[in-house]
Amino acid sequence: MTSGAGGAPIETEGLTKSFGSFTALDDLTITVEPGEVYGFLGPNGAGKTTTIRAILGLARPTSGTARVFGHDAWHERDAAHRHLAFVPGEFTPWPTLRGHEMLDLLGRLHGGYDPARRAELCERLDFDPSKRGRE
């Protein structure tokens, strides 16, 4: 996450998500302060993925709020997403696209990016953007 916006990096208040009669997430209130590392541990069905999806604005809360740097994760998704990145464990990139093509596509979807920052991160992460996704 990047800094610069108002509010804590992550805040939830009374965050609840139900699927019919099943409550997957019940009244969660947390604040993750700048510099903190926060992890979700628990058995299957404990609400970890549901919480993360609500914080990312991918699941609409039944009640309560999730905020990312002061932006409502559901109602201000675009603003919130400018301050975070998320790669799910099950992400399978397009196998025939080259890394730089994926980065360009995702960067355009996100509203643009700084090419110098991209080059810096590729070097720092030892990422070869000329390779295809399947490689």
Side-chain angles (χ1 to χ4, degrees), residues 20-33:
S21 63
F22 176 74
T23 301
L25 179 60
D26 190 16
D27 195 33
L28 177 68
T29 299
I30 59 170
T31 300
V32 179
E33 298 291 346

Side-chain angles (χ1 to χ4, degrees), residues 97-104 118-119 121-123 126-133 135:
L97 288 183
R98 297 191 183 279
H100 67 85
E101 293 170 316
M102 283 187 262
L103 292 172
D104 289 345
R118 176 182 123 174
L121 288 172
C122 284
E123 183 171 330
D126 195 26
F127 175 71
D128 181 355
S130 68
K131 288 188 176 182
R132 294 192 187 277
E135 296 174 29

Side-chain angles (χ1 to χ4, degrees), residues 6-80:
I10 297 173
E11 297 175 282
T12 69
E13 186 173 336
L15 191 60
T16 300
K17 177 65 178 173
S18 297
F19 299 93
S21 63
F22 176 74
T23 301
L25 179 60
D26 190 16
D27 195 33
L28 177 68
T29 299
I30 59 170
T31 300
V32 179
E33 298 291 346
E36 286 186 326
V37 175
Y38 199 92
F40 293 98
L41 300 174
N44 290 346
K48 301 177 300 292
T49 300
T50 301
T51 301
I52 291 170
R53 290 179 54 78
I55 290 169
L56 292 171
L58 301 175
R60 184 181 201 148
T62 304
S63 63
T65 59
R67 301 182 78 72
V68 175
F69 285 103
H71 299 287
D72 183 282
W74 183 256
H75 294 103
E76 300 175 278
R77 248 184 316 229
D78 290 346

Side-chain angles (χ1 to χ4, degrees), residues 76-111:
E76 300 175 278
R77 248 184 316 229
D78 290 346
H81 284 192
R82 295 197 196 297
H83 300 281
L84 56 88
F86 171 69
V87 179
E90 69 278 355
F91 177 72
T92 304
W94 301 274
T96 59
L97 288 183
R98 297 191 183 279
H100 67 85
E101 293 170 316
M102 283 187 262
L103 292 172
D104 289 345
L105 171 66
L106 295 171
R108 286 193 310 270
L109 289 172
H110 190 61

